[in-house]
Amino acid sequence: MLRQALLLLARSSGVKDLVTRMPVGSGIVNRYVPGERIADVVAAAAGLIADGRLATIDFLGEDTLDEDQAEATVTAYLALLEALAAEGLARSAEVSVKLSAIGQALPEIGPKLSLENARRITKAARAVGTTVTLDMEDHTTTDQTLETLRELRKDYPETGAVVQAYLRRTEDDCRALAFEGSRVRLCKGAYNEPETVAFADRHDVDRSYVRCLKVLMAGEGYPMVATHDPRMIRIAGALATRYGRSAGSYEYQMLYGIRGDEQKRLAASGERMRVYIPFGEEWYGYLMRRLAERPSNLTFFLRSLVSSR
Ligand SMILES: Cc1cc2nc3c(=O)[nH]c(=O)nc-3n(C[C@H](O)[C@H](O)[C@H](O)COP(=O)(O)OP(=O)(O)OC[C@H]3O[C@@H](n4cnc5c(N)ncnc54)[C@H](O)[C@@H]3O)c2cc1C
């Protein structure tokens, strides 16, 4: 119930106005988002890379409503990639892109515009020696996002995508994506989805996550195990051993600010550990999705809200 309420609030503009008056530097926001500027996120990535972790950086900007906003997002990614290259970080830091932020939802032109924009970012990423992963959003966009992936991979086969274990279709998607060179990030899924398309019970989501992990680990691709769940991490390790995978033929991924000690432990044990770091002014929807996963953070959040007024 609380999770659904928070996910609905993630789309409420009234609450958004109230919450976004909080400075990004305030406790709960800063825990998940290192800042609004490129310099903030590059500094955060440099810190993680210095202690053996990798990064994937997301410029926060969903629900892009016009071409100018989409263009501004592309410009931000191009500037970010240049900054990463200038700091010598591009080999260890890639970027994650939401197609909705670069125009996917615009009427009629959306699919073509977001593909072209994604192509520009992917080309710039290749030029500095790094890669792009397409984030996955709500289920109404899954087919379009996978179609965009297919198109992009014709020129940039290093491009990766995300699949969400809570969707009933995802085990089949994993089968279709488990081929050589295919980078697939498996997560549980963060949106409020109807039962017709998604498992509602978290045990069913976990069971689906394990089935998808098996398909990806047994396959020829490069699995990216995106979870903070200690059980899923243990199972991923066991499956990697069972299927004879060497360290470096798959990786773990977690979000910035969550289970930092476990991130360090995995990196220190020789595993590839990548941290997803979001930045930018549009942090509201992202923050609400994180709170929905961890309602115990709500008290902390409400306290930050009251004390910042
Ligand atoms: C790298 C990465 C990329 C992602 N990309 C996408 C995407 O493109 N699309 C999408 O829909 N979702 C994405 N997600 C989010 C994902 O779908 C889940 O919503 C999120 O990861 C929480 O699920 P979990 O697997 O960690 O398991 P959960 O069952 O939510 O949590 C398992 C355990 O992890 C710990 N934990 C989880 N969340 C928190 C928290 N906020 N604070 C503290 N501890 C916590 C707790 O110990 C908890 O018991 C991504 C996640 C990661 C890590």
Side-chain angles (χ1 to χ4, degrees):
M1 279 294 280
L2 190 53
R3 176 173 180 273
Q4 278 179 349
L6 284 165
L7 288 174
L8 283 176
L9 282 186
R11 306 203 83 80
S12 148
S13 56
V15 179
K16 177 179 176 186
D17 287 348
L18 177 70
V19 174
T20 49
R21 273 187 233 130
M22 284 164 68
V24 70
S26 67
I28 189 78
V29 184
N30 226 208
R31 170 169 172 189
Y32 295 115
V33 182
E36 296 185 345
R37 299 166 312 139
I38 285 178
D40 300 326
V41 76
V42 169
L48 294 170
I49 291 166
D51 76 10
R53 286 173 274 179
L54 304 164
T56 182
I57 301 178
D58 168 37
F59 175 66
L60 294 165
E62 296 164 54
D63 299 333
T64 289
L65 301 173
D66 57 47
E67 283 181 66
D68 288 348
Q69 211 181 335
E71 187 58 31
T73 302
V74 175
T75 306
Y77 272 106
L78 301 183
L80 169 65
L81 286 162
E82 256 177 49
L84 289 171
E87 295 298 318
L89 302 173
R91 296 226 162 260
S92 305
E94 62 137 37
V95 294
S96 284
V97 177
K98 284 190 174 47
L99 291 178
S100 70
I102 53 173
Q104 188 184 48
L106 298 188
E108 287 162 35
I109 58 168
K112 188 161 177 283
L113 177 69
S114 54
L115 171 60
E116 283 318 309
N117 283 339
R119 216 191 283 281
R120 289 162 64 199
I121 299 170
T122 310
K123 183 176 176 203
R126 158 116 33 116
V128 300
T130 192
T131 51
V132 173
T133 299
L134 301 180
D135 279 350
M136 195 57 89
E137 302 178 65
D138 74 71
H139 79 278
T140 62
T141 64
T142 309
D143 282 328
Q144 185 58 53
T145 300
L146 293 178
E147 178 54 33
T148 301
L149 174 74
R150 267 190 296 277
E151 282 302 312
L152 281 176
R153 288 191 89 260
K154 289 179 186 164
D155 295 320
Y156 303 100
E158 67 273 29
T159 309
V162 180
V163 289
Q164 299 151 315
Y166 65 11
L167 293 185
R168 299 176 192 274
R169 60 176 286 167
T170 295
E171 195 180 340
D172 286 342
D173 287 335
C174 287
R175 275 195 201 96
L177 288 168
F179 54 84
E180 193 175 344
S182 170
R183 294 170 58 247
V184 184
R185 172 190 299 159
L186 176 65
C187 67
K188 289 191 188 176
Y191 296 80
N192 200 9
E193 298 288 15
E195 268 198 65
T196 45
V197 298
F199 301 108
D201 184 292
R202 69 186 172 83
H203 299 294
D204 288 335
V205 176
D206 287 355
R207 279 191 278 271
S208 168
Y209 196 100
V210 173
R211 289 195 301 275
C212 293
L213 261 182
K214 274 188 192 152
V215 173
L216 294 176
M217 285 290 186
E220 302 292 318
Y222 181 78
M224 303 184 278
V225 183
T227 181
H228 313 96
D229 188 332
R231 242 184 92 230
M232 297 302 130
I233 292 169
R234 263 197 318 275
I235 293 172
L239 287 170
T241 308
R242 183 198 297 176
Y243 293 113
R245 281 187 172 265
S246 54
S249 68
Y250 62 95
E251 68 183 40
Y252 293 98
Q253 298 191 343
M254 292 188 202
L255 301 177
Y256 180 80
I258 304 184
R259 303 202 69 205
D261 288 345
E262 176 67 0
Q263 295 176 12
K264 287 186 203 158
R265 185 192 71 77
L266 283 165
S269 72
E271 299 287 357
R272 281 169 74 84
M273 174 72 239
R274 193 178 299 276
V275 183
Y276 182 107
I277 321 176
F279 81 105
E281 290 173 17
E282 290 292 320
W283 43 260
Y284 174 75
Y286 180 85
L287 176 69
M288 296 310 269
R289 286 198 293 279
R290 299 295 77 80
L291 290 175
E293 280 150 19
R294 192 82 169 158
S296 57
N297 277 336
L298 203 56
T299 335
F300 184 31
F301 167 66
L302 292 173
R303 220 180 289 137
S304 316
L305 191 60
V306 170
S307 63
S308 70
R309 303 197 75 200

